[in-house]
Amino acid sequence: MPRHSEKRRMPYSPEQMYELVADVKRYPEFLPWVIAMRVREDSETQTIPDMVVGFKAIRETFTSKVVKEPKSRLHVEYIDGPLQYLRNDWSFESDGKGGCIVHFEVDFAFKNRLFQSIAGQFFEKALMRMIGAFETRAAALYGDAGGSKSSSAQITA
């Protein structure tokens, strides 16, 4: 079961990073493998999206509930799809220098053993590509703030 925990300094404010991550309807514009997104419900405190992901001939739809603590935290709860479970948390705190520290954790397992095996083999590479997509999106939206970022990550499978 792939698990990943990371803390990364970003040169953007906590509010900017929160807005970028909370804007799930825009994910198909920049996240790899996200083909489509339909938002069933969106309020200040929660979003319920259906996300279609695909790779080659495989396409799956995930439904989740994103619980929002505006400007500081997002918690993703799994509702339906090909997963056995999903736990995903984001938090954003000021670094005291105009940027922020992003805390990110994800833990999931597929119901299908073949998908689980494939996910375990490619998880780290795919995750790094997706994290890179968020960083690139932040730079495109908010400007390149000098690239002064550092991270500490822990990946377990």
Side-chain angles (χ1 to χ4, degrees), residues 10 12 22 85 88 107-108 121-123 128 134 139 148 156:
M10 298 294 294
Y12 311 105
Y85 68 86
N88 182 209
D107 180 15
F108 69 93
Q121 293 174 18
F122 298 102
F123 177 70
M128 291 302 115
F134 277 103
S148 57
T156 56

Side-chain angles (χ1 to χ4, degrees), residues 68-80:
K68 304 182 217 178
E69 292 178 30
K71 312 299 181 206
S72 65
R73 183 175 163 78
L74 297 162
H75 172 71
V76 181
E77 298 175 4
Y78 180 69
I79 295 175
D80 191 33

Side-chain angles (χ1 to χ4, degrees), residues 2 16 85 87 101 105 133 144 149 157:
Q16 288 173 313
Y85 68 86
R87 294 176 194 96
I101 305 296
E105 294 182 26
D144 185 5
K149 58 188 173 208

Side-chain angles (χ1 to χ4, degrees), residues 24-38:
V24 297
K25 67 185 170 294
R26 300 272 187 234
Y27 284 9
E29 296 174 16
F30 69 95
L31 276 180
W33 309 294
V34 177
I35 297 168
M37 183 72 73
R38 183 184 79 167

Side-chain angles (χ1 to χ4, degrees), residues 6-7 14 18-20 24 26 32 35 46 49 62 71 73 75 80 85 88-89 94 108-109 124-125 131 133 141 151:
E6 180 161 343
K7 182 168 66 171
Y18 172 90
E19 291 300 325
L20 180 137
V24 297
R26 300 272 187 234
I35 297 168
Q46 78 175 19
F62 300 78
K71 312 299 181 206
R73 183 175 163 78
H75 172 71
D80 191 33
Y85 68 86
N88 182 209
D89 288 289
S94 173
F108 69 93
E124 183 176 352
K125 191 173 193 175
I131 289 169
L141 292 175
S151 70

